[in-house]
Amino acid sequence: MAASGDGPLYDDAAGRLVRPYTVINGRTRPTTALDLLSQVMATGATPLGYLGPEHAQALDLCRAPVSVAEIAAHLTLPATVTKVLLSDLVDCGALTTKPPVFHHNPTDRSLLEAVLDGLRRQL
């Protein structure tokens, strides 16, 4: 039995009926560099060509800025599959991306010394 709103691709007892790699036609690499923390947002442009139901669901989730990890969780798809879906939407102009913003420099000497001091106290 299909859950309401999920269509024939999901069964309550069996789960997802279509393997994730078939959703993205066997592709394993996105054409756009996306990090799990990358923010994506719909541009409002109508995508040209055929989009599968997962593409439409992903696009619907992107009305406001949202991370790739959050979209993967909502779609219950592996992160790699989600990145390929999102890069398809970026390629057709339906999504825009923004890389994650880090508020510190991971090679900042004072940060590294503080981590080292904390580790020494634990030993």
Side-chain angles (χ1 to χ4, degrees):
M1 299 193 130
S4 64
D6 289 326
L9 302 177
Y10 190 85
D11 181 274
D12 291 331
R16 182 173 290 281
L17 298 176
V18 176
R19 292 280 192 209
Y21 62 85
T22 59
V23 169
I24 54 174
N25 297 322
R27 294 172 292 147
T28 59
R29 296 180 194 257
T31 56
T32 303
L34 294 169
D35 187 273
L36 286 176
L37 298 177
S38 295
Q39 298 286 305
V40 292
M41 184 173 173
T43 62
T46 304
L48 300 174
Y50 172 76
L51 291 180
E54 288 83 3
H55 286 94
Q57 290 172 336
L59 187 56
D60 190 49
L61 292 169
C62 298
R63 291 184 185 148
V66 62
S67 72
V68 171
E70 288 177 81
I71 295 168
H74 284 291
L75 295 177
T76 62
L77 287 171
T80 303
V81 173
T82 302
K83 288 178 182 180
V84 172
L85 287 172
L86 295 174
S87 77
D88 290 346
L89 292 167
V90 169
D91 291 346
C92 72
L95 286 183
T96 186
T97 67
K98 182 178 176 187
V101 177
F102 297 104
H103 297 290
H104 66 279
N105 179 357
T107 58
D108 178 25
R109 184 176 179 92
S110 62
L111 174 65
L112 294 174
E113 287 175 352
V115 169
L116 183 60
D117 289 341
L119 289 172
R120 285 183 180 147
R121 277 182 256 146
Q122 294 295 319
L123 300 174

